Amino acid sequence: MAPTDRISMINRHISDEIRHSENQVSFRLTSGESEITEESHSLVMIPGPIEFSSDVLKAMSTPSQSHVGEPFISTFSETLSRLRKVFYSENPKNQAYVLAGSGTLGWDIVGSNFIQPNENALVLSTGFFSDSFADCLKAHGANVDTLIAPLGEIVPLNAIEEALKSKSYQLVTITHVDTSTGVLSDIKEISYLIHKISPSTLVIVDGVCSVGVEKIEFDNWGIDFVLSASQKALGTPAGLSVCFASERAIEVALSRPKSSTFFADLKRWTPIMKSYESKKGSYFATPPVQTITALNVSLGEILIDIEQRFQKHIDSSNKLKDALTALGLKFVSKNRETSAHGMTAVYLPQGLTNPQFLGFMAKNKIVLAGGLYKGIATKYFRVGHMGISAVDDSRNDIDKVISVIKQAIKLTPL
Amino acid sequence: MAPTDRISMINRHISDEIRHSENQVSFRLTSGESEITEESHSLVMIPGPIEFSSDVLKAMSTPSQSHVGEPFISTFSETLSRLRKVFYSENPKNQAYVLAGSGTLGWDIVGSNFIQPNENALVLSTGFFSDSFADCLKAHGANVDTLIAPLGEIVPLNAIEEALKSKSYQLVTITHVDTSTGVLSDIKEISYLIHKISPSTLVIVDGVCSVGVEKIEFDNWGIDFVLSASQKALGTPAGLSVCFASERAIEVALSRPKSSTFFADLKRWTPIMKSYESKKGSYFATPPVQTITALNVSLGEILIDIEQRFQKHIDSSNKLKDALTALGLKFVSKNRETSAHGMTAVYLPQGLTNPQFLGFMAKNKIVLAGGLYKGIATKYFRVGHMGISAVDDSRNDIDKVISVIKQAIKLTPL
């Protein structure tokens, strides 16, 4: 897809009327007062960025620290070891990576470290983001085959089995939750299948919209690489590419004959991450001190009881989906058991457009997202329900969203 | 240079005793109290990250906003247009780029957008960072020639002229300030020479340690691309790659037959940046909303009077350098007129080691940096004096540093 096509597919949210005029910014600069507060700001219920906890936001404004001084080394070390717990991983030769970047950078890490030009990749596509991952691998010279699921469904296991038997694949990519459709793939089942049919193939998971909300037993399930980002269920402002690699994936990356990149090169980053985790400073590129400090706070919150957190996400997801179903609304993801627990893609009722619907939501200070899947983008909207909005009942975020959606759809007869 | 060599060259700062124990973090999470405050934290006087203003830190904790909603679109638009002013650029076809990343990512942007495999690049090296830029271009397949300046000096113009006459170069890289040595190159003079001898060669500037402190008249001087990062004189926490490209550089990037990267691809990013600047949301990868908001605040502060800001940096630099000279200390950069105004690399007095010296500074709550240049890394230290520490006299940061250095060098007879 050409970059210009992407732009026309943007899910531009119609948000509230707050604007930073030149005057307002000057005011803010001189008085130190902020025009948007945690209390006054619109509730952001899109599939990332999500709402952030007060402690996470506070950590974002940590005063300056040296990136190779003791306080930050301790923070970063803890962050990297906490990520092991998020992935239920106990193999010390696996490694977490936290880089300045976004989920998209994770695709480049895969394309430039785990596959070489003209090697084969199999992409399991459940939506727009799966297809973009394929585009990235092609840019890096991979031969990409894509198995496209029917809209709103997962790729059938027998199709994957057939593909794996037909050709030797260096890696398979699975988009755990495709944020364009809300379809949830069963990465455990697919990984088991790959290990059975083609044990040397690397199992790569795009976990941008899943890490922190959907359980991932990295070691037990035989996953080789998960890429994610900070601004979804990891509960931290955007700006971090967060990845987790298996021992064998790291061996593949480190034994590449030639690096084709610098910033995304795991040969550069692996010793840096190992060094920070073992509480020694190290330098390749300056890490985003404040955002990593915020991630560490968020991981602390997540790990208070991660099992309960997953369950709360399931409960909140069911609550929202049940309520919307009761209103007569239909979902893009066809089956509840293969639907994401951190977001929901919902068809608009007949006669209601996204500018009308999202505009009404925005006037009521709730920001939702438009559609993103080719051909139906104007026909549905998306709700994010990750992090504190899903797990902190005292916020009532899920109830607020249901209540305002209920009013919004009255704008048109169902 | 192998990644492991880089690690052994780390400038690990010996900082104060604050550590995040498991208990302290729990405390912080439950009470919302922060253990490190703007008042209590050690003064960070390294060549980036620098000290950040209160308003910049406050902007880092801006509550969540949609990355494609009105408030953030306005902020990002203003950020991109403010960058034009920082570069004194009036050609609307030039473009600023702000991505999640670091200065290092800027090298990849150059290596993957402006030069193709087997094309020639000329690197003017004044230190470690110039050489790293060369490593990055080599990873992208460029044929790299490096002109290495004598330690502490600039590359002589006649050597550059000779090189330009001997071979056709797609681009020349100049490290405006090499943070390892504190040497300042005259990018105006070099750019004029390149345009005279080899007008089709792109003039690429590494401005990581210069943008915001050293004046850059982008259009007038015929620069094609400047890469920088947020955490130095741009006065914003680490996490942003900040670049500025000329019309002809953009044409080169957009007309490349094949992209070899995804995340660093200007074909992807150019329409996104143009879209945001013209106040339309757009999506390729999620931008770091909070850090960009903070950059916008910092740019507002910088642009209150940028000429005066440059002069204040010169004055503070001279004040520090004069005081250290009076103490009998020598600088790595040999001539004042080719020395950076935002940092100083200083030889330790005979008999004093970096662990002793930096340790003493740290005990007095001032964080300085060790050396970084091959062969002499253990023999010198580095002081950063950019942003509020250089321009806000009421902080007395320069005086504090001079005063504690004066005590530190008494640890040993000069």
Side-chain angles (χ1 to χ4, degrees):
Chain A
M1 181 184 297
T4 43
D5 293 341
R6 282 171 179 271
I7 295 174
S8 63
M9 288 181 66
I10 318 157
N11 56 331
R12 183 173 170 193
H13 312 313
I14 299 159
S15 187
D16 55 15
E17 294 301 310
I18 297 165
R19 282 163 198 272
H20 294 242
S21 75
E22 194 69 40
N23 279 347
Q24 281 173 313
V25 169
S26 309
F27 173 74
R28 182 165 155 185
L29 287 177
T30 51
S31 74
E33 280 185 78
S34 175
E35 56 190 356
I36 304 175
T37 66
E38 278 186 76
E39 292 70 34
S40 75
H41 84 293
S42 287
L43 183 63
V44 179
M45 296 289 281
I46 63 177
I50 67 167
E51 288 289 323
F52 309 117
S53 79
S54 297
D55 285 332
V56 166
L57 286 177
K58 201 174 290 165
M60 285 295 286
S61 58
T62 300
S64 192
Q65 293 177 349
S66 163
H67 53 304
V68 288
E70 275 307 331
F72 179 66
I73 289 173
S74 291
T75 301
F76 202 0
S77 171
E78 190 171 57
T79 306
L80 293 166
S81 59
R82 282 178 170 174
L83 281 167
R84 295 183 185 276
K85 292 179 190 156
V86 169
F87 289 101
Y88 294 78
S89 176
E90 293 190 347
N91 179 350
K93 292 188 173 170
N94 294 351
Q95 184 60 48
Y97 298 80
V98 179
L99 316 186
S102 76
T104 303
L105 178 64
W107 298 338
D108 271 274
I109 292 173
V110 173
S112 57
N113 289 280
F114 301 132
I115 190 162
Q116 299 194 48
N118 302 315
E119 285 183 340
N120 300 321
L122 180 64
V123 170
L124 310 184
S125 173
T126 48
F128 173 81
F129 290 94
S130 319
D131 295 339
S132 299
F133 199 167
D135 290 345
C136 176
L137 297 177
K138 286 174 199 163
H140 285 278
N143 294 326
V144 179
D145 294 330
T146 305
L147 291 176
I148 302 177
L151 174 59
E153 297 180 32
I154 57 169
V155 178
L157 278 182
N158 59 4
I160 302 170
E161 179 163 352
E162 203 176 307
L164 289 171
K165 284 176 174 166
S166 75
K167 201 185 271 188
S168 172
Y169 288 103
Q170 169 67 12
L171 56 83
V172 174
T173 73
I174 316 160
T175 303
H176 199 177
V177 168
D178 197 296
T179 319
S180 70
T181 57
V183 169
L184 172 71
S185 292
D186 188 336
I187 59 171
K188 175 185 173 183
E189 206 169 22
I190 297 169
S191 182
Y192 283 175
L193 178 69
I194 295 167
H195 281 278
K196 192 177 116 197
I197 310 285
S198 178
S200 70
T201 298
L202 295 176
V203 180
I204 310 288
V205 172
D206 177 337
V208 170
C209 198
S210 78
V211 174
V213 49
E214 315 289 353
K215 191 172 187 173
I216 300 177
E217 294 187 33
F218 191 90
D219 296 0
N220 289 345
W221 299 353
I223 312 290
D224 284 298
F225 191 73
V226 177
L227 62 100
S228 193
S230 47
Q231 77 277 6
K232 306 208 186 211
L234 285 171
T236 309
L240 301 178
S241 164
V242 179
C243 302
F244 202 80
S246 73
E247 183 180 356
R248 86 169 170 163
I250 294 169
E251 277 165 15
V252 169
L254 299 189
S255 63
R256 270 178 70 87
K258 200 193 160 303
S259 298
S260 60
T261 171
F262 202 66
F263 191 70
D265 187 357
L266 295 187
K267 281 189 199 172
R268 308 266 171 193
W269 285 114
T270 302
I272 303 292
M273 294 296 143
K274 288 189 184 297
S275 180
Y276 269 107
E277 192 166 355
S278 62
K279 306 215 173 191
K280 291 191 289 286
S282 184
Y283 177 73
F284 168 56
T286 307
V289 170
Q290 279 69 13
T291 315
I292 289 173
T293 302
L295 174 63
N296 195 45
V297 170
S298 188
L299 291 172
E301 292 173 354
I302 289 169
L303 290 169
I304 287 170
D305 188 342
I306 193 169
E307 295 280 339
Q308 193 201 15
R309 197 170 178 97
F310 290 143
Q311 190 56 50
K312 277 300 293 178
H313 275 102
I314 292 169
D315 295 345
S316 292
S317 175
N318 283 333
K319 182 179 186 177
L320 180 84
K321 287 177 170 72
D322 288 345
L324 299 187
T325 300
L327 292 173
L329 296 171
K330 306 277 179 209
F331 306 123
V332 174
S333 178
K334 287 188 180 155
N335 306 300
R336 187 71 71 94
E337 58 277 18
T338 54
S339 290
H341 300 104
M343 61 156 292
T344 307
V346 190
Y347 284 109
L348 288 159
Q350 197 77 31
L352 193 62
T353 67
N354 258 331
Q356 291 170 325
F357 173 75
L358 297 177
F360 182 88
M361 297 301 295
K363 266 185 210 137
N364 287 278
K365 296 183 78 68
I366 293 179
V367 185
L368 301 184
L372 194 63
Y373 191 84
K374 223 173 175 172
I376 60 163
T378 60
K379 296 182 178 162
Y380 72 102
F381 65 91
R382 295 175 300 148
V383 186
H385 33 88
M386 287 173 264
I388 55 173
S389 291
V391 305
D392 181 354
D393 287 336
S394 72
R395 295 175 56 95
N396 292 318
D397 289 350
I398 304 293
D399 289 333
K400 282 180 211 163
V401 169
I402 292 169
S403 155
V404 182
I405 289 177
K406 202 178 280 185
Q407 299 168 46
I409 62 170
K410 284 185 194 148
L411 295 174
T412 183
L414 272 179
Chain B
M1 183 184 297
T4 42
D5 292 342
R6 281 170 180 272
I7 294 175
S8 64
M9 287 182 67
I10 319 157
N11 57 333
R12 183 174 170 193
H13 311 314
I14 299 157
S15 187
D16 57 14
E17 294 300 309
I18 298 166
R19 282 163 199 271
H20 294 241
S21 75
E22 195 70 40
N23 279 348
Q24 282 173 310
V25 170
S26 309
F27 173 72
R28 182 165 155 185
L29 288 178
T30 51
S31 74
E33 281 186 77
S34 174
E35 58 189 355
I36 304 175
T37 65
E38 278 186 75
E39 291 69 35
S40 75
H41 85 292
S42 288
L43 183 63
V44 179
M45 297 289 282
I46 62 177
I50 67 167
E51 288 289 323
F52 309 117
S53 79
S54 297
D55 285 332
V56 166
L57 286 176
K58 201 173 291 164
M60 285 296 285
S61 57
T62 299
S64 192
Q65 293 177 349
S66 163
H67 53 304
V68 288
E70 276 306 331
F72 179 66
I73 290 173
S74 291
T75 301
F76 202 0
S77 171
E78 189 171 58
T79 306
L80 293 167
S81 59
R82 282 177 170 173
L83 281 167
R84 295 182 186 276
K85 292 179 191 155
V86 169
F87 289 101
Y88 295 78
S89 176
E90 294 191 347
N91 179 349
K93 292 188 172 169
N94 293 352
Q95 185 61 48
Y97 298 79
V98 179
L99 317 186
S102 76
T104 303
L105 178 65
W107 297 339
D108 271 273
I109 292 173
V110 173
S112 57
N113 288 281
F114 302 131
I115 190 162
Q116 298 194 48
N118 302 315
E119 285 184 340
N120 300 321
L122 180 65
V123 170
L124 310 185
S125 174
T126 48
F128 173 82
F129 289 94
S130 319
D131 294 340
S132 298
F133 198 167
D135 290 344
C136 177
L137 297 177
K138 285 175 200 163
H140 286 278
N143 294 326
V144 179
D145 295 331
T146 305
L147 290 177
I148 302 177
L151 174 59
E153 298 180 33
I154 56 170
V155 178
L157 277 183
N158 59 4
I160 303 170
E161 180 165 353
E162 204 176 308
L164 289 171
K165 284 177 174 165
S166 74
K167 201 186 273 190
S168 172
Y169 288 102
Q170 168 66 12
L171 55 83
V172 174
T173 74
I174 315 159
T175 303
H176 199 176
V177 169
D178 197 296
T179 319
S180 71
T181 57
V183 169
L184 172 71
S185 292
D186 188 336
I187 58 171
K188 174 184 174 183
E189 205 170 23
I190 296 169
S191 181
Y192 284 175
L193 179 69
I194 295 167
H195 282 278
K196 190 178 116 196
I197 309 286
S198 178
S200 70
T201 299
L202 295 176
V203 181
I204 310 287
V205 172
D206 177 336
V208 169
C209 199
S210 78
V211 175
V213 49
E214 315 289 353
K215 191 172 188 174
I216 301 177
E217 294 186 33
F218 191 90
D219 296 0
N220 289 345
W221 299 353
I223 312 291
D224 285 297
F225 192 73
V226 177
L227 62 101
S228 193
S230 46
Q231 77 276 7
K232 306 208 185 209
L234 286 172
T236 309
L240 300 179
S241 165
V242 179
C243 303
F244 202 80
S246 72
E247 183 180 357
R248 87 170 170 163
I250 294 169
E251 276 165 15
V252 169
L254 299 189
S255 63
R256 270 178 69 87
K258 202 194 158 302
S259 298
S260 59
T261 170
F262 203 67
F263 191 70
D265 187 357
L266 294 187
K267 282 188 197 171
R268 308 263 171 196
W269 284 114
T270 303
I272 302 293
M273 294 298 142
K274 287 189 183 297
S275 181
Y276 268 108
E277 193 168 355
S278 62
K279 304 214 173 194
K280 290 191 290 285
S282 184
Y283 177 73
F284 168 56
T286 308
V289 170
Q290 278 69 13
T291 315
I292 289 172
T293 303
L295 174 63
N296 194 45
V297 170
S298 188
L299 290 173
E301 293 173 353
I302 289 168
L303 290 169
I304 288 169
D305 188 342
I306 193 170
E307 294 280 338
Q308 193 201 16
R309 197 170 178 97
F310 292 142
Q311 190 55 50
K312 278 300 294 177
H313 275 101
I314 292 170
D315 295 345
S316 292
S317 176
N318 283 333
K319 182 179 186 177
L320 180 84
K321 287 176 171 73
D322 288 345
L324 299 186
T325 301
L327 291 173
L329 297 170
K330 306 277 178 208
F331 306 121
V332 175
S333 178
K334 287 189 180 157
N335 307 298
R336 186 71 70 94
E337 57 280 17
T338 55
S339 289
H341 300 104
M343 62 157 291
T344 306
V346 191
Y347 283 109
L348 288 158
Q350 197 77 28
L352 193 61
T353 67
N354 258 331
Q356 292 169 323
F357 173 75
L358 297 177
F360 182 86
M361 297 300 296
K363 265 186 210 135
N364 287 278
K365 297 183 79 66
I366 293 178
V367 185
L368 300 185
L372 194 64
Y373 191 85
K374 224 173 175 170
I376 59 164
T378 60
K379 297 183 178 162
Y380 74 102
F381 64 92
R382 294 174 301 146
V383 187
H385 33 89
M386 286 173 263
I388 56 174
S389 291
V391 305
D392 181 354
D393 288 335
S394 72
R395 294 176 56 95
N396 292 318
D397 289 351
I398 303 294
D399 290 333
K400 282 181 211 162
V401 169
I402 292 169
S403 155
V404 182
I405 289 177
K406 203 178 279 186
Q407 297 168 47
I409 63 171
K410 284 185 193 148
L411 295 173
T412 184
L414 273 178

